[in-house]
Amino acid sequence: MRNKRLIFGILLGMVIGTMLSTSITVFADREQAPANAEALPLDELRLFSDVYSKIKEDYVEDVSDKKLIESAIEGMVTGLDPHSAFLDKEAFKELQIGTTGEFGGLGIEVGMENGFVKVVSPIDDTPAQKAGIKSGDLIIRIDNKPVKGMSLDDAVKLMRGKPGSKVTLTVVREGAAAPMEISIKRAVIHVKSVKYRMLESGYGYVRIASFQSRTAEDLQKALEALKKENKGDLKGLVLDLRNNPGGVLTAAVGVADAFLNKGLIVYTKGRIADSDLRYSASPGDDLDGAPMVVLVNGGSASASEIVSGALQDNKRALIVGTKTFGKGSVQTILPMPEGTALKLTTALYYTPSGRSIQAEGIVPNVTLDPLKVSSQKETFKPITEADLSGHLQNGNKKQAPEAKSGDDLSLAEKDYQLYEALNLLKGLSIYGKWR
């Protein structure tokens, strides 16, 4: 029996070797690789077949060949980087649905860090954001199940569920004394990509929550509405990309193109020719050169960094806030047999000036931390005339108007970064374009 298993292991190694040889041949045909291409790693393949045989022979329970092979594939891919993954049927379908802007879950963009799930950013107006989840939170337990040791896909599956049901996340937050438990009610997530409003007369505000297939088109409509509200005269615009986790590359290119007359927007570089792409702006600036301020923070990732990097390098906008996330890699979805897919990192993004975004992020022109401004009540009440014994009465019967309640907060109290961005925008409008 042992000899049979040994023979099986050797045959398995030969089959795997054949499959790898075939794939390398296809790659060689595409790339016209030299004849002395790297030889197959026979020692490593032999080790793999030995381990496979040992598991089949000695593991406490019988394990199917299908499960072992799928687990080996998952381990091989996830060991590359945090964004490459083998997608089963369900995960592949969810990925396709996610780019449309409507899906089930909590409303957070996540990745892996040191074996835990890290929140890249919560999506606007979703259960996660409303419950208080913040960019940078580390999720260590999901419904009291430890995350350590789980794959990202397994963790995401636990967080998803029937709309209306609840899930409890245990999170570790920088600066917090202890882990905190946050209960969130699941919902069908309808992501509204673009929001807009006027900050003051002549100064517009556009918020992009994520980059979806229709984002560039929705941005055009938002700008047209702002112009119409101001009779065609926009003095400047604040583009808010804070906590925007990214999304579709073509949407990011379309957004940057809306504000650029010419110039490179982004380019990618990889090992194969198909990964080397360049995207340039077409003529026409939807703001007619009016000044711009772009707000970013640590939750601004991927497509957000492409837009801010393009506008910064082309000196079209002033980037304000804190350093971005630094997700500058390109993932290509490669359909595989049986409805599965391989999400593989195939290239890196570069800004027009040649800066790699990967693990570096975009450094703002003006660093501005998210300070909190509040109206504090006086703790000491000074003595006034009315407090003096025997003071004269006021003959005027009219009452002074009551002070407004704290519900009517100023912009500085609601969003200090946006308040300062508006001030910078006014300065650019008065003294000319920033260069």
Side-chain angles (χ1 to χ4, degrees):
M1 181 67 180
R2 184 176 182 85
N3 289 336
K4 287 184 179 180
R5 292 200 178 276
L6 181 59
I7 292 170
F8 171 78
I10 293 172
L11 287 173
L12 175 66
M14 292 173 63
V15 171
I16 292 174
T18 304
M19 291 191 296
L20 288 173
S21 178
T22 304
S23 67
I24 288 174
T25 302
V26 173
F27 182 83
D29 288 340
R30 291 176 60 189
E31 292 297 301
Q32 297 181 347
N36 60 348
E38 185 177 348
L40 287 174
L42 296 179
D43 289 340
E44 287 77 7
L45 289 174
R46 190 175 296 109
L47 174 62
F48 178 87
S49 66
D50 289 345
V51 172
Y52 191 100
S53 298
K54 281 294 181 184
I55 294 173
K56 292 291 292 182
E57 182 176 308
D58 297 341
Y59 187 64
V60 66
E61 294 178 352
D62 184 46
V63 187
S64 70
D65 295 336
K66 179 180 174 63
K67 179 175 175 57
L68 284 176
I69 292 295
E70 286 184 350
S71 297
I73 293 171
E74 288 176 4
M76 178 169 58
V77 177
T78 56
L80 298 173
D81 66 78
H83 306 292
S84 294
F86 176 72
L87 308 175
D88 59 21
K89 276 186 180 181
E90 184 181 348
F92 189 23
K93 286 180 181 178
E94 288 175 352
L95 179 70
Q96 292 170 310
I97 293 169
T99 60
T100 65
E102 181 175 326
F103 51 93
L106 305 179
I108 49 176
E109 180 78 9
V110 294
M112 292 297 287
E113 183 174 290
N114 298 324
F116 297 110
V117 176
K118 183 174 183 177
V119 177
V120 175
S121 65
I123 301 172
D124 287 357
D125 302 323
T126 60
Q129 188 200 48
K130 293 173 182 177
I133 294 292
K134 294 185 178 181
S135 174
D137 284 351
L138 280 180
I139 301 172
I140 61 172
R141 289 178 178 269
I142 303 171
D143 279 338
N144 213 34
K145 294 179 181 177
V147 168
K148 193 78 170 177
M150 287 186 189
S151 68
L152 183 60
D153 285 343
D154 288 341
V156 169
K157 286 176 183 176
L158 279 179
M159 288 188 279
R160 288 179 177 155
K162 187 177 179 182
S165 63
K166 289 186 177 181
V167 61
T168 300
L169 305 182
T170 305
V171 304
V172 174
R173 181 172 297 164
E174 187 177 355
M180 58 186 77
E181 290 190 350
I182 301 177
S183 179
I184 308 173
K185 184 182 288 188
R186 298 181 179 96
V188 175
I189 309 299
H190 302 274
V191 180
K192 188 174 182 181
S193 178
V194 179
K195 299 178 183 178
Y196 63 92
R197 71 176 191 270
M198 294 305 302
L199 296 173
E200 286 185 9
S201 178
Y203 297 99
Y205 170 84
V206 172
R207 161 74 180 158
I208 300 181
S210 63
F211 288 88
Q212 302 163 10
S213 55
R214 293 177 53 86
T215 297
E217 183 181 338
D218 291 342
L219 172 66
Q220 297 281 349
K221 294 177 181 177
L223 294 175
E224 287 172 8
L226 290 172
K227 287 179 181 177
K228 186 176 180 181
E229 189 173 341
N230 283 270
K231 299 179 180 178
D233 182 27
L234 267 182
K235 298 177 183 177
L237 179 78
V238 175
L239 178 64
D240 191 350
L241 300 179
R242 290 174 297 178
N243 293 321
N244 180 323
V248 182
L249 171 61
T250 53
V253 171
V255 168
D257 193 8
F259 305 113
L260 293 171
N261 259 319
K262 60 181 181 178
L264 189 60
I265 292 174
V266 67
Y267 68 94
T268 64
K269 288 176 64 177
R271 292 177 62 199
I272 61 175
D274 291 349
S275 297
D276 294 343
L277 302 171
R278 295 173 71 87
Y279 298 88
S280 297
S282 56
D285 178 353
D286 289 355
L287 285 182
D288 300 319
M292 288 181 65
V293 169
V294 180
L295 277 173
V296 297
N297 65 3
S300 306
S302 191
S304 300
E305 296 172 292
I306 290 173
V307 172
S308 53
L311 298 179
Q312 186 181 55
D313 281 5
N314 284 288
K315 299 192 184 319
R316 180 61 186 89
L318 197 68
I319 312 301
V320 176
T322 55
K323 191 170 83 165
T324 60
F325 185 77
K327 198 272 185 183
S329 57
V330 183
Q331 280 69 50
T332 301
I333 306 301
L334 305 170
M336 303 298 283
E338 300 181 6
T340 63
L342 180 63
K343 184 172 74 167
L344 191 66
T345 299
T346 54
L348 296 177
Y349 291 122
Y350 294 84
T351 70
S353 67
R355 293 179 293 161
S356 173
I357 296 170
Q358 178 60 25
E360 292 295 329
I362 300 296
V363 178
N365 300 108
V366 179
T367 299
L368 187 63
D369 292 321
L371 304 178
K372 186 174 181 180
V373 179
S374 61
S375 299
Q376 293 185 349
K377 294 182 179 180
E378 293 177 350
T379 56
F380 171 75
K381 185 179 178 182
I383 296 174
T384 66
E385 173 71 14
D387 297 314
L388 297 178
S389 178
H391 68 271
L392 295 176
Q393 297 295 322
N394 190 330
N396 188 348
K397 301 297 183 182
K398 291 183 179 180
Q399 295 285 333
E402 292 185 5
K404 291 184 179 180
S405 69
D407 293 335
D408 187 21
L409 297 175
S410 69
L411 181 60
E413 292 173 299
K414 291 179 181 177
D415 190 337
Y416 177 72
Q417 286 181 314
L418 180 55
Y419 167 77
E420 289 293 355
L422 176 59
N423 288 335
L424 285 168
L425 189 61
K426 289 178 181 177
L428 293 175
S429 178
I430 294 170
Y431 295 108
K433 301 175 186 176
W434 174 77
R435 287 290 182 265

